[in-house]
């Protein structure tokens, strides 16, 4: 997982940072769902008791509190956990996985949602777990995808959940399809195995790689990015999905890469590039627009003069300017954004980024912020969004 910065800071600076974080971020135990026609987006939620405002004790206590907070948020929208399609679990330390899993699985006794679990830095001192979810609206049919050619996961998640015309895939790793055991090998071999398993899930949902709209790549070692990228590229002949790639701790040390994707069926699928923008050189689109939904790639704050090195405020403003231009090319804007995913390599920057997001796009969209190293060494923030398409 990202190398902690706090070990190099003085005690006085840590205290000042924590005090600032608590004032600016104002974490709450009562998440608020953002809603579109088909889905509810639950932001990254911490294990804070909504009455006392305190973090629960221990990882089991925090997981239980997170889940109760999310249950309450779903209930306000006339929904419940049976409608959840996709879950992201972020742990401050990967060693907490067994305890987290034991509490979590009690909430999903049957047909659990797709899931990805990684180790990252969390935006509150003492936080051990943060969970974000997407749930289908009650009127949207939810179906578990169980490919016959893939052994069912031995953990509480499903390979895929199809809700309407949207397929949410679990974070896919390099596992043998017949035994569920890890397939060892270099990053290229693992990436091929990941796509082989992913292809099987897509086929079971009557989709293929061309239906992928958005992917997040989690890697243990960013030095292997180029090899992963070259292998990844081969699966897309044109209009590849939007993508974000970050460093994170994977739950099994045998794995070097985990890829979590969303596929959207629709004949109107198109790649979106902002006016006057240079198309990216990598195998991803700045955004994919399909079926009145826009998935943006993780954008960074590179402007006409490149990145403003070391300036988190300027990079955040430029990142949002880049996203605004991409959304405009998709005939939408920040008012239509439902979900925001923020990655910062230095969790110290969380308060500044949150404050700017509050100022520039408001607090209505679901927002999940984690600390994770980025591919670009000078980038201080990366932001991806999901929005309604068409004004």
């Amino acid at each position: 997982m990202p190398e902690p910065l706090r070990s190099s800071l003085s005690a006085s600076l840590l205290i000042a940072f924590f005090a600032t974080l608590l004032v600016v971020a104002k974490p709450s135990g009562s998440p608020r769902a953002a809603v579109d026609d088909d889905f509810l987006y639950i932001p990254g939620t911490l294990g804070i008791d909504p009455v006392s405002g305190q973090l629960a004790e221990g990882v089991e206590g925090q997981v239980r509190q997170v889940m109760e907070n999310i249950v309450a948020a779903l209930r306000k929208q006339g929904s419940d956990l049976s409608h959840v399609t996709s879950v992201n679990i972020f742990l401050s330390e990967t060693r907490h996985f067994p305890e987290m899993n034991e509490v979590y699985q009690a909430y999903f006794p049957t047909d659990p949602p797709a899931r990805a679990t990684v180790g990252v830095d969390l935006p509150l001192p003492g936080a051990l777990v943060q969970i974000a979810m997407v749930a289908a609206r009650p009127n949207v049919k939810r179906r578990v995808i169980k490919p016959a050619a893939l052994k069912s996961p031995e953990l509480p998640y499903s390979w895929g959940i199809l809700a309407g015309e949207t397929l949410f895939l679990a974070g896919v790793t390099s596992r043998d399809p017949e035994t569920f055991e890890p397939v060892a090998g270099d990053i290229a071999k693992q990436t091929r195995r990941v796509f082989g398993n992913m292809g099987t899930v897509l086929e079971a949902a009557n989709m293929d790689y061309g239906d992928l709209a958005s992917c997040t790549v989690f890697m243990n070692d960013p030095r292997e990015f180029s090899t992963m990228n070259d292998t990844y590229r081969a699966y897309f002949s044109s209009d590849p999905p939007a993508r974000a790639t970050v460093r994170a701790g994977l739950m099994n040390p045998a794995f070097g890469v985990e890829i979590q994707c969303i596929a959207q069926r629709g004949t109107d699928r198109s790649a979106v590039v902002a006016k006057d923008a240079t198309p990216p050189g990598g195998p991803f689109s700045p955004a994919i627009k399909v079926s009145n939904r826009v998935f943006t790639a993780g954008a960074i704050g590179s402007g006409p003069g490149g990145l403003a090195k070391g300036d988190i405020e300027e990079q955040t403003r430029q990142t949002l300017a880049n996203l605004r231009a991409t959304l405009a090319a998709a005939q939408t804007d920040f008012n239509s954004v439902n979900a925001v995913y923020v990655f910062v390599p230095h969790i110290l920057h969380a308060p500044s980024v949150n404050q700017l997001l509050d100022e520039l796009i408001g607090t209505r969209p679901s927002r999940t912020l984690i600390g994770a190293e980025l591919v670009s060494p000078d980038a201080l923030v990366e932001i991806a969004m999901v929005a309604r398409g068409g004004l």
Side-chain angles (χ1 to χ4, degrees):
M1 61 185 294
E3 191 68 26
L5 294 179
R6 53 181 76 94
S7 62
S8 64
L9 298 173
S10 68
S12 59
L13 183 55
L14 273 173
I15 292 170
F17 161 62
F18 289 166
T20 303
L21 181 60
L22 288 169
V23 170
V24 176
K26 296 180 181 177
S28 170
S30 302
R32 183 178 59 192
V35 183
D36 70 10
D37 293 339
D38 297 320
F39 297 104
L40 307 173
Y41 299 88
I42 304 292
T45 303
L46 300 174
I48 299 173
D49 185 305
V51 176
S52 70
Q54 301 300 310
L55 280 167
E57 290 290 330
V59 65
E60 296 96 333
Q62 289 193 24
V63 174
R64 192 171 292 108
Q65 186 65 65
V66 168
M67 294 303 297
E68 292 302 323
N69 293 344
I70 290 173
V71 166
L74 291 170
R75 188 181 298 122
K76 287 180 181 178
Q77 298 295 333
S79 188
D80 58 43
L81 292 175
S82 69
H83 297 284
V84 175
T85 58
S86 180
V87 176
N88 280 92
I89 300 179
F90 303 109
L91 296 173
S92 64
E93 297 184 52
T94 57
R95 65 185 177 88
H96 291 315
F97 179 77
E99 301 100 303
M100 176 281 296
N101 214 42
E102 185 175 354
V103 176
Y104 174 91
Q105 64 185 352
Y107 287 87
F108 296 104
T110 59
D111 294 341
R115 190 183 82 177
T117 304
V118 295
V120 297
D121 286 338
L122 299 181
L124 184 67
L128 303 176
V129 61
Q130 178 176 252
I131 301 179
M133 294 187 183
V134 180
R137 298 287 295 275
N139 61 304
V140 178
K141 183 179 179 182
R142 176 190 187 274
R143 178 164 68 92
V144 179
I145 301 301
K146 299 179 179 179
L150 271 180
K151 190 177 190 298
S152 295
E154 296 172 356
L155 295 165
Y157 70 86
S158 298
W159 284 117
I161 298 290
L162 183 65
E165 300 300 313
T166 306
L167 175 66
F168 296 85
L169 291 99
V172 182
T173 50
S174 178
R175 291 190 180 274
D176 186 286
E178 296 182 358
T179 67
F180 196 68
E181 292 299 315
V183 175
D186 61 20
I187 204 69
K189 180 178 180 179
Q190 288 198 28
T191 303
R192 286 192 293 270
R193 182 66 268 153
V194 165
F195 271 95
N197 292 346
M198 192 185 304
T200 302
V201 181
L202 288 163
E203 183 178 10
N206 294 316
M207 295 184 179
D208 58 31
Y209 298 127
D211 292 305
L212 292 174
S214 175
C215 292
T216 303
V217 180
F218 300 106
M219 300 188 68
N220 264 332
D221 187 348
R223 292 173 298 182
E224 297 183 310
F225 171 77
S226 294
T227 303
M228 180 283 298
N229 206 41
D230 290 342
T231 310
Y232 181 104
R233 187 190 306 273
Y235 291 88
F236 304 103
S237 57
S238 63
D239 294 347
R243 191 183 76 183
T245 304
V246 298
R247 182 186 182 190
L250 306 186
M251 294 302 105
N252 189 321
F255 299 134
V257 62
E258 179 170 342
I259 304 178
Q260 180 186 25
C261 297
I262 300 172
Q264 179 79 49
R265 199 175 356 244
T267 58
D268 59 346
R269 182 185 189 278
S270 62
V272 178
V273 180
K275 183 180 179 181
D276 299 327
T278 302
F284 67 91
S285 299
I288 291 291
K289 182 178 180 181
V290 56
S291 300
N292 201 37
R293 190 166 284 116
V294 178
F295 302 86
T296 81
I300 61 174
S302 184
L307 283 166
K309 293 184 180 181
D311 190 334
I312 185 60
E313 180 174 342
E314 179 56 33
Q315 286 199 26
T316 303
R317 290 184 182 277
Q318 185 63 54
T319 297
L320 291 174
N322 295 343
L323 286 165
R324 184 186 294 110
T326 298
L327 291 172
Q331 297 182 303
T332 190
D333 58 22
F334 287 149
N335 291 326
S336 297
V337 172
N338 287 303
V340 179
Y341 302 95
V342 184
F343 310 98
V344 291
H346 309 314
I347 203 64
L348 291 168
H349 289 145
S352 299
V353 174
N354 272 322
Q355 191 170 40
L356 284 166
L357 288 170
D358 288 349
E359 172 191 331
L360 298 173
I361 67 172
T363 59
R364 187 199 64 81
S366 160
R367 186 189 308 169
T368 300
L369 184 150
I370 61 169
E373 186 177 332
L374 308 181
V375 171
S376 174
D378 294 320
L380 299 177
V381 62
E382 181 169 338
I383 303 174
M385 295 179 171
V386 180
R388 296 187 307 280
L391 294 172

